[in-house]
Amino acid sequence: MLKINSSFKNLLSKAILLSCIYINFDCNRKLDLPLDEMKAAVILEEKGYKINQKTLKSGQHIHTIEIGLKTKYEKQDLSAICDIPTLKNLSFDGINFPEISEDALLSCGKSNINNFIFGNVKFQNDSFCSLLKKKENSELKLSFYYSMINQEQIRCISEIETLTNLGLDGDLNITDDDFCAFSKKSKNLTFLRLNYSNLGKKSMECILNFPKLTSVMLQDWKNVPSAEHFKTMEEYEEKYGRKIEKLINDTY
């Protein structure tokens, strides 16, 4: 049997380490999830992922996974997570939007996830746009809670022809012109939620550009009173000849 001395072993270990650093070899261990959902949930919860808002109960399927501050996230994780066939909702809470591997982008693009939720998320790389461009769902829902999306993100969102639901709560780092440009491209939107917004009257008027709305929520705009909200919705119903569900309220 060939014997390898300790000096050679040390040299070999250093060579492997250097290959990881200098030639971008993927040395991260890919997350391996079993088919059994309860066992998979245990593995994910040990890494700090939140399952079904809290934890997976007996008899349930995994339908929601949240990535938060306590999650020990590695960019290869999403590849296995998106392969869970019952997963419909993927949530990001209180973090910088993470880097996503190419394998994960492909898996998530073909997944059954149709609802993405972003709470207090900062977008500092192009993974967000890359993820949206890969999605193949017939209907897609996006909800942003106090995540200040900017011009780059609203442009990415406007390219999604399958977008049916959009929620934007809190201040946005976009202009009225940005929102109006988005409204002219998003022809399949049926639900719009705009709460606690810093957008102006021009954005309110551009809601008339969405031809398929069936429901809206418009609450507590800083620059537009609720009377203008009601007026715009009346104009919408007159323009398209149908009633829509609407929740309009000011608490300031």
Side-chain angles (χ1 to χ4, degrees), residues 17-137:
L17 178 61
L18 288 172
S19 70
C20 294
I21 297 172
Y22 292 114
I23 64 173
N24 199 29
F25 185 77
D26 187 6
C27 294
N28 290 330
R29 185 166 61 96
K30 189 173 181 179
L31 182 63
D32 187 17
L33 296 178
L35 294 177
D36 185 294
E37 288 185 76
M38 291 300 294
K39 292 179 180 178
V42 170
I43 293 172
L44 289 169
E45 287 170 348
E46 286 176 349
K47 292 198 68 175
Y49 291 93
K50 190 181 291 184
I51 312 297
N52 291 5
Q53 279 78 53
K54 190 172 183 182
T55 189
L56 188 66
K57 297 179 181 177
S58 179
Q60 285 186 334
H61 291 297
I62 298 176
H63 58 72
T64 301
I65 290 178
E66 180 183 297
I67 304 172
L69 284 172
K70 295 182 178 180
T71 304
K72 298 173 183 176
Y73 172 83
E74 295 176 277
K75 69 178 183 178
Q76 292 290 349
D77 288 2
L78 276 185
S79 182
I81 288 171
C82 288
D83 283 339
I84 299 173
T86 57
L87 186 63
K88 298 290 186 181
N89 312 292
L90 187 58
S91 177
F92 302 84
D93 185 59
I95 61 173
N96 294 335
F97 193 79
E99 290 188 27
I100 303 176
S101 70
E102 285 298 321
D103 286 344
L105 287 174
L106 291 173
S107 295
C108 294
K110 296 178 180 179
S111 73
N112 291 318
I113 301 169
N114 67 351
N115 186 25
F116 291 92
I117 304 115
F118 309 92
N120 289 298
V121 172
K122 293 181 180 179
F123 300 96
Q124 298 180 330
N125 56 54
D126 60 359
S127 288
F128 169 78
C129 291
S130 298
L131 178 62
L132 294 186
K133 290 174 182 177
K134 293 289 185 181
K135 284 305 297 169
E136 298 177 1
N137 299 73

Side-chain angles (χ1 to χ4, degrees), residues 121-246:
V121 172
K122 293 181 180 179
F123 300 96
Q124 298 180 330
N125 56 54
D126 60 359
S127 288
F128 169 78
C129 291
S130 298
L131 178 62
L132 294 186
K133 290 174 182 177
K134 293 289 185 181
K135 284 305 297 169
E136 298 177 1
N137 299 73
S138 58
E139 293 185 2
L140 192 63
K141 304 174 184 177
L142 300 175
S143 291
F144 299 84
Y145 296 93
Y146 301 96
S147 299
M148 288 188 65
I149 64 170
N150 60 29
Q151 189 178 67
E152 180 182 354
Q153 280 92 55
I154 199 69
R155 283 178 178 172
C156 288
I157 295 169
S158 69
E159 297 298 325
I160 309 171
E161 295 182 1
T162 58
L163 183 66
T164 59
N165 289 46
L166 178 65
L168 298 170
D169 283 27
D171 288 346
L172 305 171
N173 194 18
I174 61 174
T175 66
D176 286 332
D177 287 339
D178 293 330
F179 180 80
C180 289
F182 161 72
S183 71
K184 293 174 182 178
K185 297 190 71 173
S186 296
K187 300 302 182 183
N188 294 309
L189 203 69
T190 59
F191 172 77
L192 176 66
R193 186 185 73 247
L194 280 169
N195 295 335
Y196 318 111
S197 181
N198 60 340
L199 293 174
K201 186 176 179 180
K202 183 176 180 179
S203 290
M204 177 62 57
E205 293 171 348
C206 283
I207 292 176
L208 297 173
N209 293 330
F210 299 108
K212 295 185 179 180
L213 289 179
T214 59
S215 181
V216 296
M217 292 179 64
L218 305 170
Q219 299 187 73
D220 291 327
W221 283 37
K222 297 175 181 178
N223 302 313
V224 183
S226 60
E228 290 291 334
H229 296 182
F230 281 109
K231 179 182 177 183
T232 302
M233 289 303 98
E234 288 174 0
E235 292 175 1
Y236 186 95
E237 291 175 337
E238 183 177 350
K239 178 178 180 178
Y240 294 101
R242 56 186 170 80
K243 295 289 185 180
I244 64 172
E245 294 182 4
K246 45 191 175 292

